[in-house]
Amino acid sequence: MTAWVPPDALGRRVSCGTDYGTVRYVGSVSRTSGIWLGVEWDDPQRGKHDGCYEGTQYFKCRHPKGGSFIRPNKANFGVDFLTAVKDRYGLNDKQDIQYGTENTVVFGTKTVEFVGMDSVAEQQRRLNKLVDISVRECAVSHAGQTEEISRTCANMRHINLSKNLISSWETVIGIASHVQNLETLNVSENKMKFPSTSTSISSAFSNLKTLALNQTEITWTEVLLCAQGWPALEELYLSSNNITVLERPDNVLKTLKLLDLSDNQLLDGNQLHLIAHLPRLEQLILRNTGISSIHFPDAGFGCKTKMFPSLKRLAINDNKISQWSSINELDKLPSLQSLQCNNNPLMDTEKNPETLIQLIIAKISQLKVLNNCEILPAERRGAELDYRKIFGNAWLEAGGHWDPEKNKPSEEFLAAHPRYLSLCLKYGAPEEGELKGRQPLTLKNQLLTLTIKCPEKPEQKPVEKKLPESMTIQKVKGLLYRLFKIPGSELKLSYESSKLEGKEVELDNDLKPLQFYSIESGDCVLVRW
């Protein structure tokens, strides 16, 4: 008996065991009998050829070994949305509700706590009390009886439809248009067809706040076309979609607060200028997007850009940024408070990670969180004071001067250190004595092996640290704030040495290096607050 093949099988998503693919051909194959499905598999390792069999090209694949033929009875074309929900939550006609402990009811394998067993159990049976639904990997392929969705899913607000067999955006609209109060929707890991031209705007997503479209092969052009139907959207997740080129949104995405473009290899950093005027965008995730530089050409040294006016949180980790000029540019963002920038070539320019952190803090004036660590006021003060001294000689050589009327550093210096003059205004220009004999950052200073103890917290085990003897007390405090996760109170440091017979010496000048106090390897630093 010939297996049934849906009339719209071509282009449909199917599963076969644990493998997913797209039907590219339906019909006969030479020297065989019956109907075959030519499938392009998501995992090329599952395939055998590129759609060419014994000299005949039946269909095409992106990968030379991405395709194979299977019989229709081996392909799962999926189920409708409501059937998947009923199966997942044990609410279909073939399954009865089992009663668990006194305060629970069991739906299939899902246990739900409740009050008033009889009435709630009946309401759950009709689905109309389910608010948060997950049918991930439940082979959902089509909407099904839409009137029944409207009748039974009135209270659904959050739906996870990820990794199913949805072949088109129209199917998603068909489901969502009958869930009136939908706020969160995840349709990631469904390889879908999206509209390529402007279509009539559906009201299906009128209340939608969060949408995840990761790994759906959507393009940015398609995003903007669909976005006409997302009037209230606040969070949009688009990772791993091979998006390379952006376009300027025209009267769409105006309510967007979070945009995730991670794992898309953007053409270059200038693509960001095209989305720079989203008025409410507060968080931008650009992890592993291949960008090597960031530039805001509308603002000069020490000025704020008009781009990204509301951006508070930026993630640029796992990229190719290698120049400090990109960090300088981030100070132009008027609202930036949090930055993630780990795993960029720039991070390898300094051997001492503490120095690296302090340079970034000093270069971005409004930053409050760096790589998920809070920047405390004392740490910022120390970083800025240190920065002012480190580059003091370069400032003088470039035309800087203690006399304000003669203080005219070169354009090159200001381009490399756009905050330097403002730091001099904040703390005063570095004194000549501070700059004498200062070693360059790249020189490896002698390391001191010190034991660090907290006398007021005996349960805290002593920690051994290797610190450069030229490290200032302020920088040591910055390290200890993070090491012991101490709240933002003022630290008091002192040290003990076997040579001082039990005497304790206060480390009371934040601007002095450890070597100023004659500390040696083996000494013990005491931390109090």
Side-chain angles (χ1 to χ4, degrees):
M1 189 175 74
T2 303
W4 177 78
V5 178
D8 62 345
L10 204 60
R12 286 271 298 267
R13 296 284 291 162
V14 293
S15 63
C16 181
T18 58
D19 294 301
Y20 288 73
T22 303
V23 178
R24 301 296 186 198
Y25 173 78
V26 180
S28 60
V29 175
S30 64
R31 293 205 231 174
T32 66
S33 60
I35 299 297
W36 292 88
L37 302 179
V39 179
E40 181 178 10
W41 300 102
D42 294 357
D43 178 7
Q45 300 299 320
R46 171 67 172 80
K48 296 178 180 178
H49 50 70
D50 65 351
C52 182
Y53 180 71
E54 293 194 348
T56 302
Q57 189 81 49
Y58 291 92
F59 60 98
K60 292 184 179 179
C61 294
R62 280 179 277 190
H63 193 279
K65 295 282 187 182
S68 68
F69 293 104
I70 62 171
R71 290 295 190 182
N73 63 353
K74 297 289 186 182
N76 178 8
F77 281 91
V79 299
D80 66 83
F81 170 67
L82 218 48
T83 296
V85 172
K86 289 176 181 178
D87 286 347
R88 180 66 182 266
Y89 291 91
L91 294 169
N92 61 22
D93 295 336
K94 297 177 183 177
Q95 292 174 285
D96 295 323
I97 293 177
Q98 303 169 356
Y99 292 101
T101 61
E102 186 178 349
N103 293 317
T104 66
V105 62
V106 180
F107 299 96
T109 58
K110 188 178 179 71
T111 302
V112 180
E113 293 187 11
F114 69 100
V115 178
M117 184 168 63
D118 292 338
S119 61
V120 175
E122 183 59 25
Q123 289 168 340
Q124 291 274 24
R125 181 187 287 277
R126 299 195 310 267
L127 303 178
N128 63 7
K129 286 294 180 184
L130 291 176
V131 174
D132 191 338
I133 289 288
S134 176
V135 284
R136 175 177 169 82
E137 292 190 87
C138 288
V140 176
S141 62
H142 55 287
Q145 298 179 348
T146 52
E147 297 81 7
E148 191 181 353
I149 296 175
S150 297
R151 189 168 61 252
T152 59
C153 301
N155 289 295
M156 282 189 193
R157 280 172 168 72
H158 314 286
I159 299 178
N160 183 351
L161 274 166
S162 61
K163 204 170 186 182
N164 278 290
L165 299 176
I166 297 170
S167 303
S168 77
W169 183 243
E170 291 302 317
T171 299
V172 179
I173 293 176
I175 296 170
S177 59
H178 296 280
V179 184
Q180 294 179 351
N181 301 306
L182 187 61
E183 295 178 8
T184 304
L185 178 62
N186 184 354
V187 287
S188 300
E189 298 175 81
N190 287 285
K191 292 190 177 182
M192 290 181 280
K193 287 183 181 177
F194 293 89
S196 56
T197 57
S198 187
T199 57
S200 57
I201 299 172
S202 167
S203 61
F205 308 105
S206 57
N207 296 312
L208 193 67
K209 299 287 193 296
T210 302
L211 176 60
L213 289 166
N214 305 320
Q215 297 181 53
T216 57
E217 299 191 344
I218 194 170
T219 67
W220 184 252
T221 300
E222 292 165 345
V223 168
L224 298 185
L225 285 171
C226 293
Q228 298 172 41
W230 307 334
L233 195 66
E234 295 181 357
E235 298 186 8
L236 179 57
Y237 298 87
L238 296 170
S239 73
S240 304
N241 278 310
N242 297 320
I243 293 172
T244 57
V245 179
L246 302 178
E247 300 171 42
R248 194 181 302 277
D250 184 16
N251 209 31
V252 293
L253 302 177
K254 287 191 170 183
T255 57
L256 201 64
K257 293 182 179 178
L258 180 152
L259 177 59
D260 182 359
L261 288 169
S262 57
D263 298 307
N264 292 289
Q265 295 303 299
L266 298 178
L267 191 63
D268 55 50
N270 291 332
Q271 294 296 313
L272 303 182
H273 298 165
L274 298 169
I275 58 169
H277 298 286
L278 292 170
R280 298 187 186 177
L281 189 66
E282 295 180 2
Q283 184 170 358
L284 181 59
I285 304 170
L286 298 170
R287 182 181 57 80
N288 189 30
T289 51
I291 57 174
S292 57
S293 64
I294 296 173
H295 182 45
F296 304 114
D298 65 320
F301 307 137
C303 300
K304 297 298 181 184
T305 177
K306 292 181 180 179
M307 299 184 185
F308 298 105
S310 303
L311 192 65
K312 295 179 181 177
R313 296 178 291 281
L314 176 64
I316 52 172
N317 33 326
D318 301 301
N319 277 298
K320 300 175 182 177
I321 295 170
S322 60
Q323 300 296 321
W324 281 104
S325 57
S326 291
I327 301 298
N328 292 337
E329 289 291 306
L330 295 180
D331 189 50
K332 295 179 180 180
L333 292 169
S335 305
L336 186 65
Q337 296 180 8
S338 174
L339 175 66
Q340 292 184 39
C341 58
N342 281 327
N343 299 326
N344 278 282
L346 177 71
M347 304 298 114
D348 299 326
T349 59
E350 294 297 336
K351 291 182 179 179
N352 187 340
E354 289 300 317
T355 299
L356 190 80
I357 289 168
Q358 292 221 321
L359 288 173
I360 295 171
I361 291 171
K363 282 178 174 288
I364 307 176
S365 59
Q366 297 175 121
L367 208 59
K368 295 180 179 178
V369 178
L370 176 58
N371 295 330
N372 295 319
C373 291
E374 182 186 0
I375 300 168
L376 299 168
E379 188 177 9
R380 170 161 292 285
R381 182 174 183 274
E384 292 178 343
L385 283 169
D386 237 26
Y387 189 92
R388 169 182 148 277
K389 288 190 297 181
I390 288 169
F391 298 101
N393 285 324
W395 166 68
L396 289 174
E397 290 169 7
H401 201 278
W402 288 280
D403 184 343
E405 293 184 4
K406 297 179 181 178
N407 184 21
K408 295 177 181 178
S410 66
E411 288 285 309
E412 289 79 9
F413 179 84
L414 292 176
H417 308 283
R419 285 204 71 216
Y420 197 86
L421 294 184
S422 64
L423 292 179
C424 288
L425 287 173
K426 186 175 181 179
Y427 299 108
E431 296 177 10
E432 194 170 359
E434 292 180 77
L435 304 181
K436 281 185 178 178
R438 176 148 196 105
Q439 290 181 304
L441 281 174
T442 51
L443 288 183
K444 187 174 181 181
N445 298 309
Q446 185 178 339
L447 294 177
L448 303 172
T449 303
L450 303 174
T451 302
I452 300 171
K453 292 182 181 178
C454 299
E456 295 171 0
K457 292 184 70 177
E459 72 277 9
Q460 177 77 53
K461 292 182 179 179
V463 177
E464 190 173 279
K465 280 283 179 185
K466 292 182 183 292
L467 304 177
E469 62 180 9
S470 60
M471 194 179 211
T472 63
I473 302 304
Q474 185 64 59
K475 193 178 282 191
V476 173
K477 286 181 177 180
L479 170 68
L480 297 177
Y481 275 121
R482 286 191 299 279
L483 184 64
F484 294 117
K485 295 181 172 61
I486 299 166
S489 52
E490 191 64 36
L491 286 184
K492 294 180 181 177
L493 303 185
S494 57
Y495 84 96
E496 293 176 332
S497 172
S498 57
K499 295 181 179 179
L500 297 175
E501 300 178 358
K503 280 184 67 179
E504 204 172 305
V505 178
E506 284 191 32
L507 306 176
D508 53 2
N509 189 333
D510 286 353
L511 303 181
K512 297 295 184 183
L514 289 169
Q515 62 193 12
F516 175 82
Y517 292 95
S518 302
I519 295 180
E520 298 178 355
S521 286
D523 290 347
C524 180
V525 175
L526 305 174
V527 185
R528 297 182 176 88
W529 60 88

